[in-house]
């Protein structure tokens, strides 16, 4: 395999016609450059450099290799430069569910922007169904979605335990017809709640619905009804409902990180940083 470091030394010898000058240009010792050229000739099975006194000349085979060596090294330099530009000036669009947008993503990206201050981020918050549709349409580079375990396989995933909650003083869960607080249609956990009540044949009604997580939590806090939320969002004023209260546990959801099928170097870098930062999720 042609080593680009060796090819750079070969190019320097061929152009400067001197092992000493070539060694100075590539910042190596003359003996190292000589060893590199000798090993290159052994690998290719031909002489590449002829010597007349202190002057070095390329052979016919050496002239052929010189053309390829320059093209290879130029391509490597072009790739390195484009990657640097991508990392320094890139643009990344990320979709996140509302409940993690401010608590997890924002602080992480703030730190990332200190590392690469010229990167532009576009953060879209919404329900997982809509975010997933946007991602599949190619409108997002990275997306976090909430899902039932195993629905999709992504770049990384984290468990999302769910808990039934009511306000400590409300006792909605004891009523004959249970009032529930739910996301708007197609929102997270709405179907899980409805299906649960249908399966257990308990009476229920939606007393409050919204597309805003903050609004739902506020509704629970003023006693509007029972809801189903991630365990990490449970507050001290909430009562966690269990089987003893007539509410069996719901299978854990999971948070899944997806990266586009042809991600830029920057998108992959951001995704890797997000995974590291979510180790305590």
């Amino acid at each position: 395999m042609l080593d680009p470091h060796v090819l750079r030394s070969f190019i320097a010898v061929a152009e400067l016609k001197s092992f000493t000058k070539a060694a100075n240009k590539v910042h190596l010792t003359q003996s190292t450059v000589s060893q590199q050229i000798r090993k290159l000739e052994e690998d290719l099975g031909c002489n590449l450099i002829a010597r007349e006194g202190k002057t070095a000349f390329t052979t016919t085979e050496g002239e052929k290799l010189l053309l390829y060596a320059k093209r290879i090294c130029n391509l490597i330099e072009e790739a390195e430069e484009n990657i640097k530009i991508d990392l320094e000036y890139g643009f990344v669009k990320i979709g996140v569910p509302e409940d993690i947008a401010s608590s997890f993503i924002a602080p992480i990206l703030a730190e990332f922007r200190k590392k690469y201050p010229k990167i532009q981020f576009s953060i879209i918050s919404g329900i997982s169904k809509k975010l997933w549709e946007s991602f599949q349409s190619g409108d997002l580079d990275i997306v976090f979605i909430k899902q039932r375990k195993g629905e999709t396989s992504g770049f990384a995933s984290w468990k999302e335990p769910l808990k039934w909650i009511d306000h400590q003083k409300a006792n909605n869960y004891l009523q004959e017809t249970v009032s529930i607080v739910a996301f708007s249609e197609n929102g997270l956990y709405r179907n899980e709640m409805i299906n649960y009540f249908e399966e257990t044949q308990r009476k229920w009604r939606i007393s409050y619905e919204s597309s805003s997580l903050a609004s739902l939590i506020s509704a629970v806090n003023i006693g509007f009804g029972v809801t189903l939320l991630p365990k990490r969002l449970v507050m001290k004023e909430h009562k966690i409902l269990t089987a003893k209260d007539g509410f069996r546990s719901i299978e854990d959801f999971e948070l899944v990180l997806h990266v586009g099928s042809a991600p830029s170097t920057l998108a992959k870098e951001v995704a890797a940083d997000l995974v590291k930062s979510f180790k305590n999720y």
Side-chain angles (χ1 to χ4, degrees), residues 131-150:
L131 293 174
W132 183 241
E133 290 172 354
S134 294
F135 178 73
Q136 290 186 306
S137 298
D139 296 330
L140 297 171
D141 300 301
I142 297 170
V143 70
F144 287 88
I145 61 167
K146 299 286 188 68
Q147 65 178 36
R148 294 178 183 85
K149 190 174 181 180

Side-chain angles (χ1 to χ4, degrees), residues 249-276:
S249 61
I250 300 292
E251 184 179 358
D252 293 347
F253 267 47
E254 60 183 356
L255 175 68
V256 183
L257 169 63
H258 290 272
V259 184
S261 58
S264 65
T265 301
L266 177 58
K268 289 188 287 187
E269 185 88 3
V270 172
D273 267 35
L274 287 170
V275 171
K276 292 177 184 177

Side-chain angles (χ1 to χ4, degrees), residues 94-220:
I94 305 174
V96 294
E98 182 188 357
D99 61 310
I100 66 168
S102 58
S103 60
F104 282 89
I105 300 295
I108 292 168
L109 295 182
E111 289 300 314
F112 199 76
R113 290 191 68 180
K114 291 178 183 178
K115 183 178 178 181
Y116 299 110
K118 295 181 180 178
I119 290 174
Q120 296 183 34
F121 292 101
S122 176
I123 311 300
I124 293 100
S125 175
I127 63 174
S128 290
K129 185 176 185 296
K130 296 295 184 182
L131 293 174
W132 183 241
E133 290 172 354
S134 294
F135 178 73
Q136 290 186 306
S137 298
D139 296 330
L140 297 171
D141 300 301
I142 297 170
V143 70
F144 287 88
I145 61 167
K146 299 286 188 68
Q147 65 178 36
R148 294 178 183 85
K149 190 174 181 180
E151 281 188 351
T152 66
S153 178
F155 189 79
S157 64
W158 300 265
K159 288 183 179 180
E160 184 76 289
L162 302 178
K163 296 295 180 183
W164 289 102
I165 62 170
D166 194 359
H167 192 271
Q168 289 279 10
K169 299 179 180 180
N171 297 327
N172 289 289
Y173 72 100
L174 295 174
Q175 304 305 312
E176 182 179 354
T177 299
V178 180
S179 297
I180 62 175
V181 172
F183 278 104
S184 301
E185 192 172 355
N186 295 322
L188 287 170
Y189 321 131
R190 178 189 175 106
N191 289 340
E192 279 64 35
M193 286 193 287
I194 294 174
N195 291 339
Y196 176 79
F197 283 107
E198 294 295 329
E199 289 172 7
T200 57
Q201 297 184 342
R202 295 188 66 179
K203 295 179 180 179
W204 61 276
R205 71 181 183 88
I206 294 179
S207 60
Y208 188 98
E209 65 178 291
S210 173
S211 59
S212 166
L213 173 67
S215 294
L216 293 185
I217 293 177
S218 294
V220 173

